Amino acid sequence: MLDMNATIAIPHENGRIFQHFGKAGQFKIYTIENGEVVATRIEDVGGVGHEELGLWLVQRGVAAVVCGNVGPGAQGALTAAGIALLAGVEGPADDAIAKLLAGTLVASGSANCGHRPGEGGCGGGCGHCHGRCHG
């Protein structure tokens, strides 16, 4: 169960959950107190990606990430950083937070990297990560 006094981050683009965690250009960060959003901010990641995002998020006090697709390398980095992961979520970022706080958010638990069959997939080389695709 997620603490309702936490900082939660969502990879963000044009108000929606950006579906490739490791390539997100920005995150919307929500400060939650007593189960309510008390502040939000959007931060550019400044070129940080994939596994390095774990440290970037820790430096911002993030306790949980709500996202779409995320590969195994980034999943491992988030776990190692103690950040809870709610993956497989789509749609507007603010709606996802509202559902999370209401207890109705459905995270698929399927945190795949989002590659289509035949692209090599994560760990097998997707073609854009020199054989080291990390989601």
Side-chain angles (χ1 to χ4, degrees), residues 34-53:
N34 299 315
E36 295 185 18
V37 176
V38 296
T40 66
R41 67 186 187 275
I42 295 175
E43 289 198 30
D44 291 330
V45 299
V48 173
H50 295 96
E51 290 94 343
E52 296 84 9
L53 282 171

Side-chain angles (χ1 to χ4, degrees), residues 33-117:
E33 292 180 6
N34 299 315
E36 295 185 18
V37 176
V38 296
T40 66
R41 67 186 187 275
I42 295 175
E43 289 198 30
D44 291 330
V45 299
V48 173
H50 295 96
E51 290 94 343
E52 296 84 9
L53 282 171
L55 177 59
W56 186 89
L57 292 164
V58 165
Q59 291 170 340
R60 283 148 184 83
V62 171
V65 169
V66 175
C67 67
N69 298 312
V70 56
Q75 289 176 46
L78 292 172
T79 299
I83 297 173
L85 177 62
L86 299 151
V89 181
E90 297 180 3
D94 291 348
D95 289 357
I97 289 294
K99 288 176 183 177
L100 176 65
L101 296 177
T104 61
L105 180 69
V106 177
S108 74
S110 174
N112 64 59
C113 69
H115 293 280
R116 294 181 219 56

Side-chain angles (χ1 to χ4, degrees), residues 72 113 115-135:
C113 69
H115 293 280
R116 294 181 219 56
E119 288 184 329
C122 286
C126 61
H128 73 275
C129 301
H130 309 290
R132 298 181 320 271
C133 184
H134 306 290

